[in-house]
Amino acid sequence: MYIDRYTPVRGGRWSNRLRRLSIWSIVSNYFPIKLIKTEDLDPNRNYIFGYHPHGTATVGAGINFLTEATHFSSLFPGIRPHLMTLHSNFFSPFLRELLLSLGECSVSRESCQYFLNGSSCQGDAVVIVIGGMKELYLTEYQRMIFYLKKRKGFIRLALENGVSLVPVITFGENEHYRQYKNWISNRWIWGRSIVGYLPLRHPVTTVVGKPIHVNQIIDPSQTDIDQLHDQYLQAIEHLYNTNKANYGFENVKLEII
């Protein structure tokens, strides 16, 4: 692990064989999970996928972007997705090997830059769960709350590298566990079975939206960042409102905080 400590920030260790194991299709079919494309992506460009919401377990992001269970490479030929996660997840023996082989990498700035500045190749898609841990604690059954208004680091990355922003929304991500309040931790979750760890069987649909093409600005001003951020917010709202009725969320209002 010490010798290999830089791998999570230098592209990981991609294994098509591991990503195509049949076990991932079994997991996908349990919910079931679907991946929807709204527009083709140019494999000669790099991308930042902004994933929403975090949910309790982020199963939509894991199955859609770490495996081929929902046929990502067929829908987006020439694009290699890399789900970004906390660097601390690579401190666990064996787990780190699984994550690295599935294409998962550290969500640090250095790691994102490795893909976005062309050090790797073209056709890379950095998948960032924008809301992070703060959005995790906002997760509620049958609600859509995106912690996004103060998240602008990914906007700066897009401007500095001239890569396209792609809004991604998963419908059903928040419905795998019920949240309850108690006097000890103020929040606990429950799924299926006696112990409650098994997630509820609820359909999960991830919709990949239209890319926002970004002109490169090596040293973007705060105005540049704010303008692109506003454009991204509008794209997220449009993607949600256009698709919510298709997946049972017609009466659920999107809350962006």
Side-chain angles (χ1 to χ4, degrees):
M1 287 176 60
Y2 178 78
I3 295 172
D4 197 45
R5 65 190 181 279
Y6 295 118
T7 301
V9 298
R10 294 179 182 169
R13 209 173 4 254
W14 186 281
S15 171
N16 275 320
R17 182 177 181 182
L18 193 62
R19 288 173 58 89
R20 295 177 183 276
L21 289 179
S22 58
I23 183 66
W24 308 128
S25 295
I26 295 173
V27 174
S28 176
N29 292 334
Y30 168 82
F31 294 97
I33 299 175
K34 294 181 179 179
L35 181 63
I36 304 298
K37 178 180 73 171
T38 60
E39 189 165 314
D40 292 334
L41 297 182
D42 183 358
N44 295 312
R45 299 180 65 94
N46 289 328
Y47 301 88
I48 294 177
F49 281 24
Y51 184 90
H52 314 270
H54 186 289
T56 301
T58 326
V59 296
I63 292 298
N64 285 312
F65 302 121
L66 292 180
T67 80
E68 285 296 322
T70 53
H71 313 291
F72 182 93
S73 62
S74 297
L75 291 171
F76 301 100
I79 306 295
R80 287 162 57 100
H82 302 272
L83 182 60
M84 314 305 275
T85 187
L86 294 174
H87 192 71
S88 58
N89 288 331
F90 298 101
F91 294 156
S92 300
F94 306 110
L95 173 62
R96 75 186 304 274
E97 302 307 321
L98 174 63
L99 297 179
L100 289 170
S101 297
L102 292 175
E104 194 157 8
C105 295
S106 171
V107 75
S108 67
R109 177 179 173 83
E110 178 186 359
S111 180
C112 292
Q113 286 281 31
Y114 177 85
F115 292 112
L116 301 178
N117 64 13
S119 298
S120 174
C121 60
Q122 298 299 312
D124 283 314
V126 172
V127 184
I128 303 176
V129 185
I130 305 297
M133 295 301 294
K134 288 193 175 183
E135 194 170 87
L136 166 63
Y137 291 112
L138 294 171
T139 299
E140 291 189 32
Y141 191 87
Q142 282 294 299
R143 290 188 69 183
M144 282 292 236
I145 306 174
F146 295 175
Y147 186 81
L148 182 54
K149 288 186 177 179
K150 294 183 179 180
R151 300 293 199 188
K152 298 183 180 181
F154 73 106
I155 298 292
R156 178 180 288 276
L157 279 172
L159 286 166
E160 290 176 344
N161 295 281
V163 300
S164 300
L165 286 171
V166 181
V168 180
I169 296 178
T170 293
F171 295 89
E173 187 70 82
N174 294 339
E175 281 64 54
H176 300 141
Y177 295 90
R178 301 250 184 198
Q179 291 81 29
Y180 302 94
K181 293 184 177 181
N182 61 37
W183 62 274
I184 299 176
S185 63
N186 198 39
R187 180 180 181 272
W188 59 289
I189 62 173
W190 197 262
R192 294 182 65 186
S193 79
I194 297 175
V195 293
Y197 290 131
L198 193 65
L200 300 170
R201 297 190 70 177
H202 190 283
V204 178
T205 304
T206 298
V207 182
V208 180
K210 180 180 179 180
I212 302 170
H213 297 303
V214 178
N215 294 322
Q216 186 175 24
I217 302 176
I218 300 298
D219 186 18
S221 66
Q222 190 60 49
T223 300
D224 295 325
I225 294 172
D226 290 342
Q227 287 178 349
L228 182 57
H229 188 261
D230 289 342
Q231 186 178 354
Y232 184 81
L233 289 176
Q234 293 174 20
I236 281 290
E237 291 177 341
H238 177 74
L239 183 64
Y240 180 78
N241 292 328
T242 301
N243 291 277
K244 64 180 182 179
N246 298 331
Y247 308 111
F249 284 77
E250 59 272 15
N251 297 319
V252 180
K253 183 179 179 180
L254 175 62
E255 301 174 56
I256 299 179
I257 64 174

